[in-house]
Amino acid sequence: MSSNRVTVTPEHLVVEPVGLTKLWSFTRRLQFPLEHVRGATFDPGMRDEPKGWRGPGLGLPGRLSGTFHADGKKQFWNISGYERAIVITLDAAEKFDRLVITVDDPDQVVDSVNSALGAP
């Protein structure tokens, strides 16, 4: 089961943590205008990526939820395992530099986000 529900509308990208991850990440819903979204990639290699310091959120082996700060960048992580991890990059106008989340169907979500942006 996914830790996040991702919805792409003609104007917005919406990420909603589901279940207990809503509590652990201190986040009910994130919404971004599509013009502030740079793109999405399927990246199970995020396991090796530096996470930085957590605040606030949860950090357990294989499960990260909340806000993480690394190299001067602010990121939202909501991961339960890395095999279905996607990365959504945002522009400087947003609170987060990127979102690292687990979804049920990474290829479908990445295609949906990138298609909405007009990317091939």
Side-chain angles (χ1 to χ4, degrees), residues 20-41:
L20 286 174
T21 64
K22 201 178 287 189
L23 177 67
W24 297 332
S25 67
F26 296 90
T27 304
R28 289 181 38 204
R29 185 174 201 251
L30 297 168
Q31 180 172 310
F32 307 97
L34 278 182
E35 64 261 23
H36 293 176
V37 178
R38 291 185 178 168
T41 58

Side-chain angles (χ1 to χ4, degrees), residues 16 18 20 24 32 35 60 68 85 89-90 99 112-113 117:
E16 297 171 282
V18 297
L20 286 174
W24 297 332
F32 307 97
E35 64 261 23
L60 296 173
F68 290 75
T89 306
L90 304 171
L99 314 174
S112 176
V113 171
L117 299 175

Side-chain angles (χ1 to χ4, degrees), residues 52-63:
W53 59 275
R54 173 178 32 99
L58 171 80
L60 296 173
R63 182 174 296 277

